[in-house]
């Protein structure tokens, strides 16, 4: 945490003012600092920067204009160079703090919101950030010629130019129909303002080829520095950033060093060539903890889950009883413990019961318990569903058809391979014949989206605003033929072709609610009852960072969330 | 002295121009065939939009993305459009980086050329020297030892060689990728530049070269042994020619022919690079670009890269044929 301003007095002056400072603290601000506190290193003064952070990156950002942002690395950098209307923070759920807007007020019907803008904010070239830049962002993102990956977020807004400029310092956004407040915020902040004066005369369909796409003007704490494709990308403090002092950059630079290979990233981390590496394997995190005291291992709250998906359109998996039996046949707790427990007993994952992350504190119902591991009950349920070994060959069958299927996983994913092999063994002991098949990654997801599979070990990266529509809705008319879609015509990401009219109705209801938490809880209960997936676990993301950095808190939003507040004590500076 | 030279030598090493022109005329057709074949194969890849789409995308977003990548056009139209662009020197735009394909390739090519060029420059002299040394003493413990060594190098996966080299470099305190301090501190010192060169060129080149050393040495050993026992060599010795001249004029020169072919066939590797080595050493060359393009199903970039490979193979084969023709007059006259 940043130290009180009084303690930022240069060391040489401490002797002169120490007593007075303590006295002032005693009388006005509570107890005097302890000796340890008084000698604790101080963060840089506002405007002062020191040292740099080197981040191991899989790839460099490719598209940085607010409306072209695509990959995770784009988004990670964008969060540091743009000051959006409001800043997302996470504490059991998303909360919004003033950013470009100093305050806002929602209308009673929840369809309009007025923002008062901070008139002190500037683009890095000194031009003021105005309401026109917000209008420009909406204009760019809604233009089909631009083909913005973020355009879908604006379909909830009313047609026509948005936002409406009320006066120089106030704008109004209007929504077309009610939806949850979190989804509305997502629409309002998905695209930061655009420095439109940088893009004058740029053809809309060629904007990605403009140099501004990789070096846009910033209005946030950092701006784009040097970059060399495939090697590195640098952010440096934005001297014109007029945000509060605690949000002004305290590092000289953040350097993203492109290291596509995991082992090379790990080697560079242990050599001190990079300061931050994410997505560590459990075994590597354990080793680093034991052998590298200069590194801190942090656990980010989970956003990544694994599951075994049963294709509900496949006759073998189209009954609830069979799917529940398959889950009960698997000892998921033992598997989780085996894959995610460190040597000191730390468990780096938690059981999953839905596709909503448990990091959203109250979003997953407390009473939603996992099915028990009960192979005998599973065997009985399968027999009741008509699956018995009539020919004595050791494999269950029904109407002469053996219960045999392929269990796919994406090739190269060792964790999912282990899950598949375990399932093969556990289900095999019940009399199911399971062939474990690795499939090349892009082919794997193509087959999943096309419904071309029986069962698969896969996973989700969960959003922080639950949207059950894309994964679970089964009654949409996507092909526009006037009829509700049947199996094979579900939402693209309803991979297992799940369909439950009761769930569909609740999803439609939730999408119109300002606070859909109760409806979402009911949806999760119904889906868990139906077991379209065997939900496995939520994995913590493990990352390592050099111990010299202060102010670092693992954050679910991004590994670099709040990096503008990170700092290095003067005596630990590595790069001067 | 002139009598000791062969008729071909007396005529001088003239280029077989007619042969060369005939081969060159075939190159555009070869490239068109490669382009068509690769275009057809890439059409079978997963839909780039389906492979990369976000669950939050709406139908309108998907439609606009498809239009941006030209996927809303029928296949034949895309083929003709891209072919038309190719004929005017426009390889299209990389969907992954939004930069012209020629620019992306132009940026990666020097990296790969420096790595592959160094690798070939290391592999051939070393391989030829080792092979010739073995051929002079076949069956001896030295020959067997070198054979074992080259076989081991050849059998070791490149990623493992790269990793072992990185561990070795770490052990002696050398950087294994672009030095961070030089990136952070601005102007690197001379020592930084040297270690940087070792990390970014020598180590990856060694990882690429070592398996090739094994191949070249085996080729050379076999070729030299075959020629050394030929009748004309025995005759030369019987005529009392000094052993040094026998080896230089009659053995090595004739044994060079299959090795020259090998050199020519290795030229495409100059531009193809090594996917594994470039990834392990974080070098943004052609191999690394190919891997990214495959992951992102970046069809224009993949087409550009395969065309480059095709061109390199055609030129490499041509260069090998010309070299062999220069070294072996029979080829010239037959060709």
């Amino acid at each position: 945490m940043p130290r009180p301003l009084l303690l930022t007095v240069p060391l040489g002056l401490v002797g002169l003012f120490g007593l007075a400072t303590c006295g002032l603290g005693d009388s006005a601000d509570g107890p005097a600092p302890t000796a340890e506190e008084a000698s604790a290193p101080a963060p840089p003064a506002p405007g002062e920067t020191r040292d740099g952070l080197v981040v191991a990156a899989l790839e460099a950002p490719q598209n940085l204009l607010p409306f072209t942002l695509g990959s995770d690395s784009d988004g990670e950098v964008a969060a540091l160079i743009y000051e959006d209307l409001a800043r997302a923070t996470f504490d059991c759920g998303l909360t919004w703090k003033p950013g470009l807007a100093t305050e806002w007020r929602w209308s009673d019907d929840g369809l309009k919101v007025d923002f008062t803008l901070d008139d002190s904010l500037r683009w890095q070239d000194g031009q003021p950030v105005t309401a026109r830049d917000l209008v420009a962002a909406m204009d760019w993102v809604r233009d089909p010629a631009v083909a913005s990956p973020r355009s879908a977020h604006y379909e909830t807004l009313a047609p026509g130019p948005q936002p409406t400029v009320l006066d120089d310092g106030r704008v109004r956004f209007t929504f077309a129909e009610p939806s949850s407040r979190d989804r509305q915020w997502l629409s309002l902040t998905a695209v930061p303002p655009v420095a439109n004066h940088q893009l004058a005369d740029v053809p809309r369909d060629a904007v990605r080829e403009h140099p501004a796409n990789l070096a846009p003007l910033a209005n946030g704490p950092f701006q784009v520095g040097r970059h060399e494709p495939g090697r590195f990308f640098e952010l440096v403090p934005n001297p014109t950033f007029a945000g509060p002092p605690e949000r002004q950059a305290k590092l000289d630079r953040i350097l993203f060093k492109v290291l596509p290979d995991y082992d090379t990233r790990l080697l560079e981390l242990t050599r001190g060539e990079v300061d931050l590496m994410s997505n560590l394997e459990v075994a590597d995190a354990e080793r680093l903890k034991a052998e590298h005291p200069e590194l801190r291992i942090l656990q980010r709250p989970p956003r990544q889950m694994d599951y075994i998906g049963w294709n509900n359109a496949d006759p073998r998996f189209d009954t609830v009883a069979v799917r529940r039996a398959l889950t009960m046949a698997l000892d998921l707790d033992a598997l989780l413990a085996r894959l995610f427990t460190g040597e000191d007993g730390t468990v780096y994952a938690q059981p999953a019961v839905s596709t909503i992350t448990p990091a959203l504190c109250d979003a997953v119902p407390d009473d939603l318990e996992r099915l028990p591991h009960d192979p005998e009950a599973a065997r009985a349920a399968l027999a009741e569903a008509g699956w018995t070994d009539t020919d004595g060959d050791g494999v269950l069958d029904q109407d002469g058809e053996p219960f045999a299927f392929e269990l796919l996983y994406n090739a190269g994913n060792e964790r999912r391979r282990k899950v598949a092999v375990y399932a093969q063994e556990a289900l095999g002991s019940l009399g199911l014949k399971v062939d474990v098949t690795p499939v090349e990654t892009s082919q794997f997801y193509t087959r999943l989206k096309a419904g071309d599979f029986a069962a698969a070990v896969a996973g989700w990266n969960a959003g922080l605003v639950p949207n059950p529509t894309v994964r679970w809705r089964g009654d949409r008319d996507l092909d526009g033929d006037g009829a509700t879609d049947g199996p094979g015509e579900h939402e693209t990401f309803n991979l297992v072709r799940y369909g439950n009219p009761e769930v569909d109705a609740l999803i439609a209801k939730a999408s119109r609610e300002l606070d859909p938490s109760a409806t979402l809880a009911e949806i999760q209960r119904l889906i868990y009852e139906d077991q379209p997936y065997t939900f496995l676990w939520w994995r913590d993301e493990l990352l390592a960072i050099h111990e010299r950095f202060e102010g670092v808190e693992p954050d679910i939003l991004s590994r670099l969330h709040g990096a503008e507040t990170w700092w290095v004590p003067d005596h630990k500076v590595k790069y001067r | 002295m002139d009598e000791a030279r062969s008729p071909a030598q007396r005529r001088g090493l003239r280029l077989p121009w007619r042969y060369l022109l005939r081969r060159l005329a075939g190159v555009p057709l070869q490239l068109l065939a490669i382009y068509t074949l690769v275009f057809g194969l890439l059409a079978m890849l997963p839909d780039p939009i389906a492979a990369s789409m976000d669950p939050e995308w709406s139908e309108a977003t998907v439609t606009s993305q498809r239009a941006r990548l030209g996927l809303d056009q029928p296949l034949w139209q895309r083929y003709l459009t891209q072919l038309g662009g190719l004929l005017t020197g426009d390889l299209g735009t990389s969907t992954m980086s939004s930069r012209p394909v020629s620019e992306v390739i132009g940026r990666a090519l020097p990296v790969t050329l420096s790595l592959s060029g160094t690798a070939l420059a290391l592999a051939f002299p070393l391989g030829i020297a080792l092979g010739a040394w073995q051929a002079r003493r076949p069956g001896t413990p030295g020959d067997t030892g070198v054979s074992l060594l080259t076989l081991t190098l050849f059998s070791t996966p490149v990623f493992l060689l790269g990793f072992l080299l990185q561990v070795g470099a770490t052990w002696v305190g050398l950087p294994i990728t672009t030095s961070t301090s030089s990136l952070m501190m601005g102007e690197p010192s001379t020592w930084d530049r040297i270690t940087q060169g070792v990390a970014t060129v020598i180590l990856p080149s060694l990882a690429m070269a070592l398996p090739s050393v094994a191949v070249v040495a085996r080729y050379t050993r076999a070729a030299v042994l075959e020629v050394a026992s030929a009748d004309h060599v025995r005759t030369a010795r019987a005529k009392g020619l000094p052993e040094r001249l026998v080896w230089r004029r009659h053995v090595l020169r004739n044994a060079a022919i299959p090795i020259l072919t090998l050199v020519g066939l290795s030229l495409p590797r100059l531009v193809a690079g090594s996917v594994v080595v470039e990834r392990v050493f974080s070098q943004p060359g052609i191999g690394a670009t190919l891997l990214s393009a495959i992951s992102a199903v970046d069809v224009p970039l993949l087409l550009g890269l395969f065309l480059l490979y095709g061109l390199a193979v055609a030129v490499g084969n041509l260069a090998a044929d010309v070299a062999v023709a220069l070294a072996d007059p029979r080829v010239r006259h037959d060709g």
Side-chain angles (χ1 to χ4, degrees):
Chain A
M1 291 295 293
R3 306 287 304 163
L5 201 57
L6 282 174
L7 295 179
T8 66
V9 178
L11 279 177
L13 303 180
V14 168
L16 286 176
F17 295 106
L19 284 173
T21 304
C22 287
L24 186 65
D26 245 342
S27 59
D29 296 315
T34 62
E36 192 182 330
E37 282 172 341
S39 63
E48 185 196 347
T49 60
R50 57 171 90 118
D51 209 348
L53 170 75
V54 186
V55 180
L58 267 80
E59 57 177 4
Q62 308 265 21
N63 297 288
L64 287 178
L65 282 167
F67 46 84
T68 59
L69 297 171
S71 67
D72 288 347
S73 52
D74 295 346
E76 186 173 67
V77 167
L80 294 169
I81 63 173
Y82 293 122
E83 188 74 350
D84 211 333
L85 270 174
R87 289 184 299 113
T89 55
F90 189 86
D91 180 16
C92 273
L94 287 172
T95 54
W96 302 90
K97 292 189 171 170
L100 175 57
T102 53
E103 56 183 43
W104 50 85
R105 196 168 60 81
W106 289 89
S107 63
D108 292 341
D109 61 4
L111 291 176
K112 296 187 184 73
V113 56
D114 294 349
F115 288 96
T116 304
L117 304 182
D118 180 349
D119 59 5
S120 68
L121 281 177
R122 295 276 183 278
W123 295 105
Q124 70 184 69
D125 63 355
Q127 297 281 323
V129 183
T130 67
R132 286 192 307 278
D133 297 319
L134 288 167
V135 178
M138 288 295 154
D139 189 39
W140 279 96
V141 80
R142 284 174 147 184
D143 189 338
V146 174
S148 170
R150 302 200 164 198
S151 62
H153 291 292
Y154 296 93
E155 289 169 11
T156 56
L157 290 170
Q162 292 259 14
T164 310
V165 180
L166 301 175
D167 55 50
D168 273 356
R170 288 194 313 133
V171 294
R172 170 176 293 166
F173 286 88
T174 308
F175 289 86
E177 53 189 33
S179 62
S180 82
R181 185 52 49 85
D182 281 344
R183 291 207 72 74
Q184 288 177 320
W185 269 116
L186 217 54
S187 296
L188 293 167
T189 56
V191 175
V194 170
N196 205 37
H197 60 282
Q198 191 187 15
L199 300 175
D201 306 326
V202 177
R204 297 260 163 153
D205 58 355
V207 71
R208 286 178 175 79
E209 294 164 40
H210 191 273
N213 193 28
L214 210 53
L217 292 177
N219 69 339
F222 288 92
Q223 65 184 46
V224 175
R226 301 165 301 157
H227 46 94
E228 192 181 321
R231 287 198 194 275
F232 71 92
F233 189 92
E234 181 192 56
L235 293 179
V236 294
N238 175 6
T240 64
F241 178 62
E246 70 273 12
R247 292 202 52 241
Q248 288 180 5
K250 291 155 189 64
L251 298 170
D252 287 335
R253 55 178 52 83
I254 296 177
L255 187 93
F256 296 84
K257 189 171 179 183
V258 180
L259 302 165
D261 183 64
Y262 178 87
D263 290 323
T264 308
R265 288 199 296 279
L266 198 59
L267 206 53
E268 290 282 76
L269 177 74
T270 56
R271 290 164 52 99
E273 289 284 300
V274 300
D275 297 315
L276 189 156
M277 174 179 170
S278 52
N279 284 313
L280 289 167
E281 299 287 341
V282 171
D284 293 325
E286 290 285 307
R287 186 173 62 80
L288 293 174
K289 225 190 259 184
E291 296 174 9
H292 289 273
E294 79 281 12
L295 296 172
R296 287 166 60 202
I297 306 298
L298 304 175
Q299 283 173 256
R300 282 179 65 203
R303 286 183 76 167
Q304 294 166 329
M305 72 162 305
D306 286 331
Y307 64 86
I308 303 175
W310 313 107
N311 191 336
N312 293 205
D314 185 307
R316 290 164 294 190
F317 304 113
D318 66 358
T319 55
V320 172
V322 168
R323 297 195 298 263
R324 289 174 66 89
L326 296 176
T327 297
M328 286 194 291
L330 305 174
D331 189 349
L332 300 178
D333 292 335
L335 188 59
L336 184 151
R338 202 175 82 199
L339 294 179
F340 296 102
T341 307
E343 282 178 14
D344 61 358
T346 310
V347 182
Y348 297 100
Q350 51 188 299
V353 288
S354 86
T355 49
I356 297 179
T357 169
L360 290 162
C361 300
D362 301 320
V364 182
D366 292 337
D367 57 350
L368 192 51
E369 286 185 12
R370 295 236 273 195
L371 286 171
H373 170 52
D374 190 343
E376 285 315 308
R379 194 188 306 274
L382 286 171
E384 198 172 325
W387 291 101
T388 50
D389 183 10
T390 57
D391 53 10
D393 66 351
V395 178
L396 302 183
D397 55 79
Q398 191 179 68
D399 302 331
E401 285 295 316
F403 203 148
F405 61 91
E406 266 190 328
L407 179 56
L408 313 184
Y409 71 96
N410 50 320
N413 189 318
E414 185 57 16
R415 184 183 67 257
R416 291 186 186 155
R417 187 192 68 78
K418 286 178 181 168
V419 172
V421 169
Y422 167 75
Q424 179 184 44
E425 188 186 318
L427 298 177
S429 68
L430 286 189
L432 279 71
K433 188 171 182 304
V434 182
D435 288 326
V436 172
T437 310
V439 180
E440 187 276 323
T441 301
S442 63
Q443 194 63 32
F444 175 73
Y445 288 109
T446 301
R447 283 185 65 178
L448 257 58
K449 284 172 193 163
D452 179 19
F453 71 104
V457 189
W460 287 117
N461 199 349
L464 296 177
V465 179
N467 179 9
T469 300
V470 292
R471 294 193 179 103
W472 301 117
R473 198 158 172 181
D475 67 343
R476 302 248 286 187
D477 178 20
L478 292 175
D479 55 7
D481 63 359
T484 297
D485 298 324
E489 289 184 352
H490 284 64
E491 288 276 357
T492 311
F493 289 91
N494 184 349
L495 305 176
V496 293
R497 277 50 187 156
Y498 174 69
N500 178 338
E502 202 179 344
V503 170
D504 290 334
L506 286 171
I507 290 174
K509 178 173 175 245
S511 68
R512 294 188 299 270
E513 289 177 324
L514 194 62
D515 177 9
S517 50
T519 313
L520 287 173
E522 189 54 27
I523 289 170
Q524 290 174 81
R525 280 194 196 93
L526 288 171
I527 291 173
Y528 194 78
E529 278 293 304
D530 289 343
Q531 287 288 304
Y533 295 167
T534 292
F535 296 91
L536 295 175
W537 43 66
W538 289 94
R539 293 179 286 119
D540 290 341
E541 187 194 324
L542 296 172
L543 58 92
I545 185 165
H546 197 276
E547 60 81 29
R548 73 182 190 277
F549 293 94
E550 300 280 343
V552 181
E553 296 289 338
D555 196 297
I556 195 168
L557 291 170
S558 144
R559 62 180 174 168
L560 291 178
H561 185 75
E564 67 272 17
T565 63
W566 299 1
W567 58 281
V568 178
D570 199 39
H571 67 284
K572 290 185 178 176
V573 170
K574 182 174 180 182
Y575 303 106
R576 288 193 186 273
Chain B
M1 190 67 188
D2 196 47
E3 284 172 12
R5 298 175 65 186
S6 68
Q9 284 171 313
R10 284 198 296 274
R11 281 197 301 273
L13 295 176
R14 285 177 302 168
L15 279 173
W17 285 110
R18 278 175 56 195
Y19 172 74
L20 193 61
L21 288 173
R22 204 168 64 229
R23 293 292 308 273
L24 270 176
V27 170
L29 279 178
Q30 287 173 14
L31 289 181
L32 180 65
I34 290 169
Y35 176 81
T36 306
L37 184 67
V38 172
F39 186 92
L41 289 173
L42 292 180
M44 287 190 259
L45 280 179
D47 181 339
I49 297 298
S52 65
M53 73 185 283
D54 184 290
E56 297 286 341
W57 283 8
S58 65
E59 285 300 301
T61 310
V62 172
T63 305
S64 65
Q65 292 293 325
R66 296 188 70 80
R68 182 171 79 86
L69 303 184
L71 296 172
D72 54 343
Q73 298 172 355
L75 198 62
W76 63 268
Q77 200 172 332
R78 272 186 274 160
Y79 173 78
L80 290 179
T81 306
Q82 292 185 14
L83 187 60
L86 183 67
L87 293 175
T88 58
D90 177 11
L91 291 172
T93 303
S94 158
T95 57
M96 183 174 66
S97 66
S98 307
R99 307 302 309 160
V101 167
S102 51
E103 181 188 315
V104 176
I105 292 178
R107 211 166 43 214
L109 194 55
V111 177
T112 292
L113 283 176
S114 69
L115 297 184
S116 310
T118 311
L120 288 184
L122 288 170
F124 275 92
L126 198 57
I128 290 170
L130 272 178
W133 184 85
Q134 285 181 274
R136 293 291 292 265
R137 46 187 68 72
T140 61
D143 176 34
T144 312
V146 173
S147 288
L148 267 175
L149 176 71
T150 52
L151 201 64
T152 308
L153 285 176
F154 185 69
S155 317
T156 309
V158 177
F159 76 88
L160 185 59
L161 268 179
F163 187 69
L164 290 175
L165 285 168
Q166 284 188 333
V167 172
T170 301
W171 201 53
V172 297
L174 285 172
I176 55 169
T177 62
T178 308
S179 156
T180 300
S181 55
S182 70
L183 291 175
M184 295 293 273
M185 309 303 286
E187 197 55 31
S189 66
T190 309
W191 174 245
D192 276 344
R193 284 178 203 275
I194 293 169
T195 55
Q196 187 80 351
V198 171
T200 58
V201 180
I202 303 296
L203 288 181
S205 299
L206 260 182
M208 289 165 78
L210 289 176
S212 302
V213 168
V215 175
V216 177
R218 302 291 294 175
Y219 249 83
T220 307
R221 181 182 181 276
V224 171
L225 278 178
E226 188 184 335
V227 176
S229 59
D231 289 345
H232 71 277
V233 175
R234 205 175 306 126
T235 307
R237 283 200 179 103
K239 281 164 67 182
L241 208 62
E243 189 63 11
R244 185 173 50 83
L245 285 181
V246 170
W247 273 89
R248 207 175 67 194
R249 283 197 192 152
H250 296 281
V251 179
L252 292 180
R253 183 183 171 96
N254 285 297
I257 292 169
I259 298 163
L260 282 174
T261 309
L262 192 63
V263 173
L265 294 177
S266 300
L267 286 181
R269 280 180 44 205
L270 266 177
V271 296
S274 163
V275 171
V276 177
V277 169
E278 288 179 11
R279 184 180 166 86
V280 168
F281 286 90
S282 307
Q283 292 303 306
I286 293 287
T289 305
L290 175 71
L291 198 63
S292 305
I294 290 172
S295 305
V297 198
D298 188 338
V299 173
L301 183 54
L302 285 170
L303 270 171
L305 288 170
F306 283 115
L307 269 182
L308 178 72
Y309 294 158
L311 190 63
V313 170
V315 171
N317 283 348
L318 194 62
D321 287 352
V322 170
V324 170
L326 285 173
D328 186 351
R330 290 169 300 179
V331 176
R332 244 180 296 169
H333 292 292
D334 294 348

